[in-house]
Amino acid sequence: EFLERVREKLPVVMHGVSLSIGSVDPLNLDYLAKLRELEQRIQPAMMSDHLCWTGVNGENLHDLMPLPYTEEAIRHIVSRMQQVQDFMGRQIMLENVSSYVEFNHSEMPEWDFLKEVVQRSGCGILLDVNNVYVSSVNHRFDAKKYLEAIPVASVGQIHLAGHTNKGTYLIDTHDEPVCDEVWDLYRIAFKRFGAVNTMIEWDDNIPSWQRLMQEVEKIKDIQDGIIELNTGAAHEKPRTSRSATTF
């Protein structure tokens, strides 16, 4: 009832945590049927879940578990995503998750794995910039390289969030302000992906509404600053035809 009242006035995005697209269990058709019923009632602007698995043998672990980045896993997930999207009658976005362990037999980096899943299945990407940063620290890879590998047209939404620093690793807790390093990474993401719908996740230690809006204003300030900079550069007289073409 509350959701329908909100939907009367505002667009709604549906974001799930129970698709378990990477599990070897059969797809949960009862869950998908209920999800489709809700989708038809709410008519969300976008729908998404996570590129992970959340359970096996019918047990829900209530966590977003990492995947091995292998060709076999790609084929498995692509097949399931095609079934899910056919069932729902629309494109679904998959979100990159933060991770704390890796599989020794992974055959490729996470960003190549995500790109292959998206290109083969036709799904979209919900790009969580905080998760990129958290995993880059935990696994010592270049977060900028991750963003550069993501197909621009596939990104339908961006998430930002705070995390907890445990000294030798980070945990995606959604209970802190967005840190400076993630804001810097968002600047890079905005330059690459443009004015993509962006949301801040804050699930615990929730501050006042005014404090939350300060975080939202940072998004606007970053976007406006980059747009203003690009607009100013566009009006400068190009020094060579190549620089004009590149811009």
Side-chain angles (χ1 to χ4, degrees):
E1 178 187 353
F2 283 112
L3 184 57
E4 289 177 333
R5 286 165 60 184
V6 170
R7 182 63 184 90
E8 289 175 359
K9 299 181 179 180
L10 297 167
V12 170
V13 171
M14 289 174 57
H15 183 52
V17 294
S18 301
L19 185 59
S20 197
I21 197 66
S23 176
V24 295
D25 280 358
L27 289 169
N28 188 332
L29 297 182
D30 289 338
Y31 169 75
L32 288 177
K34 294 175 181 178
L35 190 65
R36 185 170 62 182
E37 179 183 359
L38 181 61
E39 186 271 342
Q40 291 172 347
R41 290 175 62 182
I42 301 302
Q43 294 293 302
M46 292 175 280
M47 291 186 68
S48 58
D49 208 292
H50 297 79
L51 183 56
C52 69
W53 58 283
T54 57
V56 68
N57 294 330
E59 295 292 331
N60 193 329
L61 302 176
H62 300 287
D63 209 342
L64 308 175
M65 308 302 290
L67 292 158
Y69 304 134
T70 64
E71 175 63 30
E72 180 183 17
I74 291 173
R75 292 195 300 268
H76 175 68
I77 292 168
V78 166
S79 174
R80 288 162 68 88
M81 275 306 297
Q82 290 171 338
Q83 294 177 63
V84 169
Q85 292 180 125
D86 287 345
F87 187 88
M88 298 300 298
R90 64 181 297 163
Q91 185 188 59
I92 309 294
M93 296 184 297
L94 289 177
E95 176 184 343
N96 58 295
V97 300
S98 56
S99 61
Y100 314 98
V101 296
E102 294 180 302
F103 291 88
N104 287 330
H105 57 282
S106 287
E107 301 166 353
M108 65 194 76
E110 179 184 341
W111 49 89
D112 285 345
F113 182 83
L114 174 59
K115 181 170 65 174
E116 286 298 317
V117 168
V118 169
Q119 291 178 339
R120 298 189 202 182
S121 70
C123 73
I125 295 176
L126 194 171
L127 180 64
D128 192 310
V129 174
N130 180 67
N131 287 351
V132 172
Y133 179 73
V134 167
S135 295
S136 75
V137 172
N138 291 344
H139 305 311
R140 297 178 178 83
F141 63 74
D142 187 346
K144 296 179 184 178
K145 186 175 182 179
Y146 192 120
L147 297 184
E148 290 169 355
I150 299 302
V152 172
S154 298
V155 178
Q157 189 178 40
I158 290 176
H159 279 186
L160 301 171
H163 56 260
T164 300
N165 191 331
K166 291 295 186 178
T168 57
Y169 60 95
L170 307 180
I171 299 180
D172 179 38
T173 50
H174 296 182
D175 60 0
E176 298 285 345
V178 179
C179 72
D180 290 342
E181 291 82 359
V182 172
W183 283 122
D184 289 341
L185 202 59
Y186 176 66
R187 289 183 177 90
I188 296 171
F190 182 75
K191 290 177 182 178
R192 176 166 174 78
F193 304 108
V196 175
N197 179 277
T198 302
M199 188 186 81
I200 292 177
E201 299 179 287
W202 205 320
D203 300 340
D204 205 357
N205 297 329
I206 299 176
S208 66
W209 178 258
Q210 291 75 17
R211 180 67 187 88
L212 287 173
M213 288 307 297
Q214 289 176 3
E215 293 288 280
V216 174
E217 288 299 322
K218 286 185 181 181
I219 295 175
K220 296 179 181 178
D221 289 343
I222 289 172
Q223 293 181 353
D224 290 344
I226 293 173
I227 291 171
E228 183 178 352
L229 180 63
N230 288 344
T231 301
H235 287 88
E236 293 179 359
K237 183 178 180 180
R239 297 181 180 177
T240 68
S241 60
R242 179 179 178 182
S243 62
T245 303
T246 300
F247 184 85

